[in-house]
Amino acid sequence: MRSTSTIALFLFVVALTALAAVAVWPSQPERYLPGDFWPSGRGIKIGGWERETMRLGLDLRGGSYLVLEADPPESYEGDLGEALEVAREVLERRVNEFGVSEAEVQSASGNRLTVQVPGMSLTDAQNLIGKTAQLEFRVINDANEVIPATGVVDGQTLTMTGQYLKSNTYPSRISTTYAVNFETTGTGATLMEQITTRALQYPENDPRRLLLIYLDDQEISSAVVQSVISSQGQITGQPSFTESRNLSKQLNAGALPIPLKTVQSSEVSATLGEDSVRDSVHAGEIGLLAVALFMILYYRLPGLLAALALGVYTSLTLAVFKLWPVTLTLSGIAAFVLSVGMAVDANILIFERMKEELRRGRTLNSAIDVGFRRAWTSIRDSNVSTFITCLILYWFGDQFGAALVKGFALTLAIGVGVSMFSAITVTRTFLKMVVGTPLARNHWLFNAEETKPAAGGRAATKAQEG
């Protein structure tokens, strides 16, 4: 009989697959699937989250190209070359804050940086990259002047700025406006406590009760202080959830050490285009069908279950790519297809062990447990080896600025990780659901019928022994 835990796990897998399928369903399915009867459109929208299209790389979709030049103030006396290197690292963190966008940020002559961002419009790229992101808290003094909000820490007077916020801000939605939640560091908590305590000395309608938030010398939020703030707070007043998300990315990545101005900007066209995307998807579909057909013909019922598990694997992997989000290039798609082979390889190891146990007379339930246990070490070692290879590739790609290599390594690692879950959990659950049914007693369905010796085989063997 099937256990309660097996049924619960089966229902969980079904629900998870359904959610993943909704997340990855294409906006224009007729481009990738035969017929024109498939539902289309972006689909669901829950709160501040809306299902978006898959993020594609420069080679498949195009993107934005910007040339930024250092624009320090006349009083700047620091090392400009060092400041530009820090600025390059900050920009890389910004564009990669919530995913691997495979952006390229490189130093150029003339105190310039070149930035290529795939899958992002020129306006969005300029809003995300071009701002210094220097956040500052300000108050109104007795002379009705806006001045920096300060406090005293260890005998020093400090201004409350973005450097005293932890790099874990996140956007949220409040009513019809979109907000950024933040936490302060130890010094920031002390400063905020002093600043808000002073503000509470004044009546609620007094302008000195206000706490103003400026980004790059522009006011983005103001609020009446209602209580003492120390360790955490909220920046409100963003016109959209997207702008809140961008502000969160900028704050987490840090402020640019020097201002940068855009001296050149343009849209980058895809080097391969939509035809390559469609052909790649079709090739992947044909490959999946070919693998599923082989598994069904050779392994019969387990092969059918493995084909279903392969569908689960495909949905979950693409959902991870989309929700992370990971920017897919042609090399990333190749890594995904390669990981499909890894998933099938694990199933083959398991099914071969199961066949041996069934031929020895074990029940299906016992054969499943023993088969998985005997195959696990081989599956573990092969996947760990692949993970190590991915780590080496990612490190080399990061050291030499090869974004395509980094994308390939990360995409392959994600695919292999999900394939282990698919083989060890999903396939096993599907097999356990067969236990206790009439199908479990038919060894032919498992390609595990006992092998009978050929006629005269025993006699011939005895004759040879004699």
Side-chain angles (χ1 to χ4, degrees):
M1 294 296 292
R2 293 179 293 275
S3 65
T4 304
S5 60
T6 299
I7 297 175
L9 190 56
F10 173 77
L11 294 176
F12 170 75
V13 169
V14 171
L16 188 63
T17 305
L19 291 175
V22 170
V24 303
W25 189 257
S27 301
Q28 297 175 306
E30 64 277 2
R31 293 178 56 196
Y32 312 109
L33 301 172
D36 55 359
F37 51 85
W38 303 100
S40 60
R42 285 196 171 184
I44 59 175
K45 181 177 181 180
I46 302 175
W49 181 84
E50 183 177 1
R51 192 168 68 89
E52 299 178 352
T53 56
M54 190 74 74
R55 182 178 290 181
L56 302 178
L58 279 170
D59 57 345
L60 299 177
R61 183 182 175 185
S64 300
Y65 175 80
L66 296 94
V67 179
L68 306 174
E69 185 177 78
D71 187 25
E74 294 182 0
S75 58
Y76 185 78
E77 298 179 353
D79 188 331
L80 194 58
E82 182 178 342
L84 275 172
E85 180 61 25
V86 174
R88 185 186 66 80
E89 295 175 356
V90 170
L91 292 180
E92 284 186 339
R93 287 198 298 269
R94 284 189 188 180
V95 295
N96 290 304
E97 180 65 25
F98 291 126
V100 177
S101 66
E102 299 194 11
E104 295 184 6
V105 183
Q106 298 178 336
S107 300
S109 60
N111 296 326
R112 294 181 175 184
L113 298 173
T114 61
V115 184
Q116 294 187 71
V117 187
M120 184 176 289
S121 68
L122 191 58
T123 301
D124 290 341
Q126 290 173 328
N127 289 336
L128 177 63
I129 295 171
K131 291 184 178 179
T132 308
Q134 180 62 54
L135 190 78
E136 186 178 74
F137 292 81
R138 299 182 184 180
V139 294
I140 299 176
N141 64 7
D142 296 338
N144 206 32
E145 299 172 334
V146 176
I147 61 172
T150 61
V152 179
V153 179
D154 295 332
Q156 291 185 330
T157 301
L158 303 176
T159 299
M160 184 61 195
T161 63
Q163 66 178 311
Y164 300 119
L165 302 182
K166 293 182 179 180
S167 59
N168 60 350
T169 67
Y170 61 94
S172 64
R173 183 190 299 270
I174 302 179
S175 183
T176 57
T177 61
Y178 305 95
V180 175
N181 301 276
F182 67 86
E183 293 183 21
T184 57
T185 61
T187 301
T190 302
L191 291 174
M192 286 295 290
E193 185 174 356
Q194 294 179 13
I195 293 167
T196 53
T197 299
R198 285 199 301 267
L200 288 172
Q201 299 174 358
Y202 303 102
E204 189 167 340
N205 59 351
D206 193 306
R208 292 171 293 182
R209 185 78 173 261
L210 291 175
L211 181 62
L212 313 175
I213 302 176
Y214 279 69
L215 181 68
D216 295 340
D217 286 327
Q218 292 185 351
E219 183 180 336
I220 62 171
S221 179
S222 65
V224 176
V225 176
Q226 301 291 346
S227 61
V228 175
I229 301 173
S230 58
S231 59
Q232 47 187 293
Q234 196 172 68
I235 302 173
T236 60
Q238 300 303 300
S240 68
F241 185 79
T242 299
E243 295 205 13
S244 294
R245 182 173 56 188
N246 287 341
L247 174 59
S248 176
K249 290 181 183 180
Q250 292 165 343
L251 295 178
N252 289 339
L256 292 173
I258 53 173
L260 297 174
K261 62 180 180 180
T262 303
V263 295
Q264 181 183 344
S265 60
S266 61
E267 297 278 353
V268 179
S269 60
T271 56
L272 296 177
E274 293 188 4
D275 291 341
S276 296
V277 178
R278 185 169 56 251
D279 292 343
S280 299
V281 173
H282 288 164
E285 291 171 351
I286 294 172
L288 286 173
L289 290 175
V291 170
L293 184 62
F294 165 78
M295 295 294 289
I296 293 172
L297 291 178
Y298 189 81
Y299 289 103
R300 300 169 189 172
L301 181 58
L304 176 62
L305 299 179
L308 295 175
L310 203 59
V312 174
Y313 159 78
T314 302
S315 299
L316 293 181
T317 305
L318 292 179
V320 173
F321 291 165
K322 199 169 188 179
L323 299 177
W324 189 310
V326 172
T327 299
L328 284 180
T329 61
L330 201 59
S331 63
I333 294 176
F336 167 67
V337 174
L338 180 61
S339 66
V340 172
M342 301 287 293
V344 174
D345 178 64
N347 283 314
I348 289 175
L349 290 173
I350 294 166
F351 294 160
E352 288 296 332
R353 299 297 184 271
M354 280 180 52
K355 282 168 52 177
E356 294 175 2
E357 300 305 320
L358 287 172
R359 286 171 177 168
R360 290 174 180 171
R362 291 184 183 272
T363 63
L364 177 60
N365 191 46
S366 177
I368 293 172
D369 292 335
V370 175
F372 270 81
R373 186 166 62 249
R374 292 183 59 191
W376 164 243
T377 53
S378 299
I379 297 172
R380 179 199 61 201
D381 293 346
S382 64
N383 282 279
V384 168
S385 300
T386 305
F387 278 129
I388 294 174
T389 303
C390 291
L391 182 63
I392 294 172
L393 285 173
Y394 190 90
W395 183 82
F396 271 102
D398 185 58
Q399 293 298 310
F400 295 102
L404 291 178
V405 176
K406 289 174 60 179
F408 177 89
L410 184 67
T411 305
L412 180 59
I414 293 173
V416 171
V418 178
S419 75
M420 289 184 66
F421 170 77
S422 172
I424 302 301
T425 302
V426 178
T427 303
R428 183 171 188 162
T429 301
F430 288 173
L431 286 169
K432 287 283 189 177
M433 290 296 293
V434 178
V435 174
T437 68
L439 299 175
R441 295 188 291 271
N442 189 340
H443 282 196
W444 181 90
L445 291 175
F446 296 86
N447 196 15
E449 59 269 32
E450 294 183 6
T451 307
K452 295 182 179 179
R458 289 185 178 179
T461 302
K462 288 182 178 180
Q464 290 176 0
E465 290 175 354

